[in-house]
Amino acid sequence: MNQEKSTALSGYDVSTEEVQSLIMKWAKATEAFHYRYAKLDKAITSLQKTARRHSTTNRTQLRRLLELRQYSTDVLMTLLLDMSGQRPERSAQPSKPGQLHSHACLLDELNRKIDAELISITTVAQA
């Protein structure tokens, strides 16, 4: 009955194609995020091994990467809690219709940030 009320209030019925497209966008963004997170983790490990032997530039890069990894971890945990409905302030509320879209966009943004950092490290390493 609550679902009928929310459908009536929104006035917009989502088509099957739109739902499938949204799910695919979310799945691709999630997969890309996991791939980039793994690359970020490898870059951090590599810089940690060489940080003692090299300049403060490497240490600065390492610090930026560690902050990005922590931020990414925090965002991912928030998204997971949001999807599971375990967040205290949302415990009785079902998922919002645009939730997958918002999560996909946030993951895409994180992917761009990680790419930018990894490219800057690759560029410095090649120089």
Side-chain angles (χ1 to χ4, degrees), residues 14-37:
V14 180
S15 71
T16 304
E17 292 81 20
E18 287 175 306
V19 171
Q20 288 174 343
S21 173
L22 187 57
I23 291 171
M24 288 304 298
K25 181 180 178 181
W26 178 82
K28 287 178 183 177
T30 302
E31 183 178 336
F33 174 76
H34 286 294
Y35 171 74
R36 283 171 176 84
Y37 189 87

Side-chain angles (χ1 to χ4, degrees), residues 50-110:
T50 62
R52 292 180 201 103
R53 292 178 265 152
H54 293 292
S55 68
T56 56
T57 304
N58 280 357
R59 289 188 202 112
T60 304
Q61 288 176 336
L62 178 60
R63 190 172 32 255
R64 278 197 333 258
L65 291 178
L66 288 169
E67 289 171 0
L68 181 59
R69 181 173 66 180
Q70 183 60 50
Y71 174 69
S72 297
T73 300
D74 292 346
V75 167
L76 186 59
M77 291 305 297
T78 301
L79 294 180
L80 290 173
L81 289 172
D82 197 30
M83 294 294 288
S84 69
Q86 298 296 317
R87 287 177 51 192
E89 66 271 12
R90 292 196 51 194
S91 59
Q93 297 177 351
S95 296
K96 305 258 188 215
Q99 188 175 25
L100 284 179
H101 177 70
S102 298
H103 290 183
C105 291
L106 184 56
L107 290 173
D108 283 340
E109 180 184 331
L110 277 173

